[in-house]
């Protein structure tokens, strides 16, 4: 399998507010290093990304949000301190049409989902490089008609058009799907297998019928992102019917995930999707420190088998997964049916 990877992710490791304490995030550089080492050992072919296409970024994210992300760290250093991460502390909460404040402290709340991640000196460079990997993997799939894997870090599926959160800044999976659309595939599916609901991806495509979004995840009544991911969220206007949430109870095992994946594939086929993005989180692993699902390494191979059998142009984008030791074996197991 062609793997797109970059060292730029090392520039980003940001603190998160966890149960009342500021800690260095679980979303750490070793995650990507472990995946890279494992995939090298399994003989996958690595490639560097092309330059990020800023037109593509602007088709998924709001221009004012991109400007904010690119300049937030410098503005925070000027206004506050270079010794503390830039993070939100106030949110507009119930104020639906809140005006954007001018001050960086207010804007951090305006442009974020919560305080489980923050912005540090290298965040924008790392997030842009991560996005470039997704774009490059999509371009490879279009050109070569073979699957590709983007070793994205930071992840992306919690980032909406104009908010970061959930360790995500730019929505890599959405960028890959938009790239496939712009390359001529009339309808693209995103199947999100991360333990957490892909709220950002859902929101980006919620009113559109050209990108089907399906997410299999822990029920938001019990898990982050708390307010999105219910089965009742089906899409708006033209997009109605093109968003499908398949929440599972905490503690769910491979059989439940596999059954939900069967429903996801059915939806993809009914919608006539011509290309596929898989948002691959392996935080569904039995020993994941954030998740409660019980998947084993072998289960990832079984999960990927029916997806590979679709034989669609497929981009696999790395999302979460926090059991650092086995993360590479889990990703490699998922990729293996695509090379068969
Ligand atoms: C991409 C992805 O999987 N994002 C998940 C974001 C979840 N953040 C909220 C849960 C925070 C749990 N923090 C645990 C810190 C332990 N050191
Ligand atoms: Zn996750």
């Amino acid at each position: 399998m062609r793997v797109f990877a970059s060292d730029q992710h090392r520039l980003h490791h940001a603190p998160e507010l966890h149960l009342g304490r500021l800690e260095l995030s679980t979303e750490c550089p070793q995650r990507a290093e472990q995946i890279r080492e494992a995939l090298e050992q399994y003989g996958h072919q690595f490639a560097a990304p092309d330059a990020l296409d800023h037109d593509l970024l602007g088709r998924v994210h709001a221009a004012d949000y991109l400007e904010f992300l690119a300049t937030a760290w410098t503005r925070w250093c000027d206004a506050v301190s270079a010794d503390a991460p830039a993070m939100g502390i106030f949110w507009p909460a119930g104020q639906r049409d809140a005006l954007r404040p001018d001050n960086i402290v207010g804007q951090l709340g305006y442009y974020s989902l919560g305080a489980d991640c923050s912005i540090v000196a290298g965040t924008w460079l790392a997030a842009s490089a991560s996005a470039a990997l997704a774009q490059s993997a999509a371009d490879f799939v279009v050109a070569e008609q073979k699957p590709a894997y983007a070793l994205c870090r930071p992840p992306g599926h919690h980032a909406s058009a104009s908010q970061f959160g959930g360790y995500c800044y730019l929505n890599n999976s959405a960028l890959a799907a938009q790239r496939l659309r712009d390359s001529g595939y009339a309808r693209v599916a995103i199947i999100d297998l991360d333990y957490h609901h892909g709220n950002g991806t859902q929101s980006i495509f919620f009113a559109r019928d050209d990108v089907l979004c399906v997410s299999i995840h822990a029920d938001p009544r019990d898990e982050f992102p708390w307010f999105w991911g219910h089965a009742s969220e089906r899409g708006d206007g033209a997009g109605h019917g093109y968003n499908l949430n398949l929440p599972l109870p905490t503690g769910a095992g491979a059989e439940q995930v596999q059954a939900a994946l069967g429903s996801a594939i059915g939806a993809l086929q009914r919608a006539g999707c011509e290309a596929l993005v898989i948002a691959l989180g392996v935080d569904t692993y039995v020993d994941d420190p954030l998740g409660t699902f019980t998947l084993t390494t072998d289960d990832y191979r079984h999960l990927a088998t029916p997806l590979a059998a679709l034989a669609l142009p497929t981009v696999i984008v790395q999302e979460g997964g926090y059991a650092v030791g086995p993360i590479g074996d889990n990703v490699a197991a998922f990729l293996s049916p695509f090379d068969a």
Side-chain angles (χ1 to χ4, degrees):
M1 165 101 49
R2 185 63 59 103
V3 173
F4 288 86
S6 153
D7 289 339
Q8 297 276 96
H9 76 87
R10 295 174 187 161
L11 299 169
H12 169 78
H13 190 192
E16 68 173 294
L17 190 59
H18 173 60
L19 306 179
R21 291 188 171 85
L22 203 57
E23 300 175 349
L24 210 48
S25 183
T26 308
E27 200 291 282
C28 60
Q30 296 93 290
R31 297 178 57 246
E33 299 298 327
Q34 288 281 351
I35 296 172
R36 182 178 52 75
E37 278 171 32
L39 297 187
E40 276 171 4
Q41 274 178 13
Y42 287 104
H44 291 275
Q45 300 164 301
F46 282 69
D50 295 321
L52 182 58
D53 176 354
H54 286 262
D55 287 341
L56 173 66
L57 266 191
R59 292 167 72 71
V60 166
H61 291 285
D64 61 316
Y65 173 65
L66 294 170
E67 169 76 12
F68 164 81
L69 272 187
T71 58
W73 177 249
T74 312
R75 293 176 60 213
W76 173 265
C77 288
D78 290 347
V80 184
S81 165
D83 297 331
M87 62 195 303
I89 182 168
F90 302 108
W91 284 270
Q95 181 92 338
R96 300 234 173 258
D97 301 312
L99 291 179
R100 182 180 68 160
D102 295 331
N103 186 287
I104 180 69
V105 177
Q107 285 191 2
L108 280 157
Y110 182 81
Y111 285 120
S112 67
L113 178 69
D116 73 337
C117 65
S118 59
I119 293 174
V120 293
T123 300
W124 170 247
L125 279 177
S128 316
S130 189
L133 297 173
Q135 169 197 305
S136 301
D139 287 344
F140 175 88
V141 167
V142 172
E144 303 294 327
Q145 295 293 301
K146 288 177 188 161
Y149 168 73
L151 206 179
C152 292
R153 180 182 175 271
H157 74 148
H158 298 302
S160 65
S162 55
Q163 283 183 325
F164 69 94
Y167 315 151
C168 302
Y169 303 86
L170 296 172
N171 195 314
N172 308 311
S173 294
L175 289 162
Q178 184 65 49
R179 192 64 157 194
L180 293 171
R181 280 288 297 110
D182 294 344
S183 303
Y185 295 105
R187 184 170 283 146
V188 176
I190 301 176
I191 296 185
D192 188 323
L193 299 176
D194 189 276
Y195 176 73
H196 305 95
H197 174 243
N199 61 289
T201 317
Q202 163 171 307
S203 118
I204 287 163
F205 297 114
F206 207 61
R208 289 170 52 171
D209 63 0
D210 61 331
V211 179
L212 169 72
C213 293
V214 186
S215 183
I216 299 169
H217 49 265
D219 195 312
R221 285 178 295 186
D222 292 311
E223 282 288 2
F224 177 89
W226 310 117
F227 312 110
W228 303 274
H230 301 287
S232 56
E233 297 154 20
R234 296 290 278 122
D236 255 352
H240 187 80
Y242 292 91
N243 192 84
L244 179 62
N245 285 327
L246 301 166
L248 297 175
T250 54
E255 279 182 23
Q256 284 157 290
V257 175
Q258 197 80 250
L261 182 60
S263 305
I265 290 172
L268 175 158
Q269 289 172 326
R270 280 192 301 280
C273 297
E274 298 172 350
L276 171 63
V277 174
I278 300 171
L280 175 63
V282 290
D283 39 7
T284 48
Y285 183 62
V286 59
D287 289 329
D288 192 275
L290 297 197
T292 65
F293 289 179
T294 63
L295 270 60
T296 63
T297 301
D298 266 353
D299 289 329
Y300 289 107
R301 188 162 42 78
H302 299 139
L303 266 188
T305 300
L307 290 165
L310 291 170
L312 289 171
T314 300
V315 184
I316 301 162
V317 176
Q318 187 63 44
E319 298 287 356
Y322 308 96
V324 173
I327 192 173
D329 284 340
N330 290 339
V331 171
F334 188 89
L335 298 186
S336 59
F338 290 92
D339 280 325

